[in-house]
Amino acid sequence: MNKEKGWDASSSWNGYMYQGKVALLVALKKINESRDLEGYWLELEGVEDFSIGFEELYKSVHQVKNRQDNAIKDYREALSNIVKRIKDYSSISNGYLHTKNEIKVNDWGKEIQK
């Protein structure tokens, strides 16, 4: 956190700002699609970057990345985290990766397996 020692949090802060905007957009879409929102909740920085749940259970988890990388291999860790959460919580039916830049998906199956 000390800029004098060579670390500046501004790039992290931009990432958190983008993450919050994506979470808000997803929540607003859910509100727009649903007639009854009783029991639904949005969690930021919990089991994932953000999650949507219903009553006591997680329903979807979301990873958000705001970086210049656009090869699918650069998102291997984020995708692995999503899969891990789905395995850890049987109530999760969907996992999402939200990126600012379009991901190049040429040979994506081969890249992910490496």
Side-chain angles (χ1 to χ4, degrees):
M1 290 186 200
N2 188 340
K3 199 170 185 176
E4 292 175 8
K5 293 184 180 181
W7 194 83
D8 180 2
S10 55
S11 63
S12 297
W13 183 253
N14 287 333
Y16 289 126
M17 293 291 290
Y18 181 68
Q19 179 178 309
K21 290 175 183 179
V22 172
L24 181 59
L25 177 63
V26 170
L28 290 171
K29 283 183 175 183
K30 180 71 175 171
I31 290 168
N32 193 42
E33 294 168 355
S34 301
R35 294 195 182 271
D36 182 13
L37 294 170
E38 182 85 25
Y40 280 94
W41 44 267
L42 173 66
E43 176 184 77
L44 301 174
E45 288 298 325
V47 299
E48 266 313 332
D49 290 340
F50 72 94
S51 306
I52 295 177
F54 179 72
E55 295 178 352
E56 301 294 320
L57 302 173
Y58 288 99
K59 293 299 182 182
S60 65
V61 290
H62 303 255
Q63 276 267 325
V64 180
K65 298 298 173 203
N66 178 17
R67 59 171 98 161
Q68 295 300 318
D69 306 334
N70 64 350
I72 190 71
K73 66 183 171 86
D74 297 319
Y75 295 92
R76 189 178 303 130
E77 182 180 353
L79 293 167
S80 294
N81 287 341
I82 292 168
V83 170
K84 182 178 181 338
R85 297 299 177 250
I86 291 171
K87 287 181 178 179
D88 290 347
Y89 296 89
S90 61
S91 62
I92 296 173
S93 56
N94 295 295
Y96 300 91
L97 173 62
H98 306 273
T99 64
K100 184 171 182 174
N101 297 310
E102 184 177 350
I103 298 174
K104 292 181 185 176
V105 292
N106 297 345
D107 298 324
W108 70 272
K110 294 176 191 173
E111 291 292 337
I112 292 295
Q113 293 174 5
K114 290 182 182 177

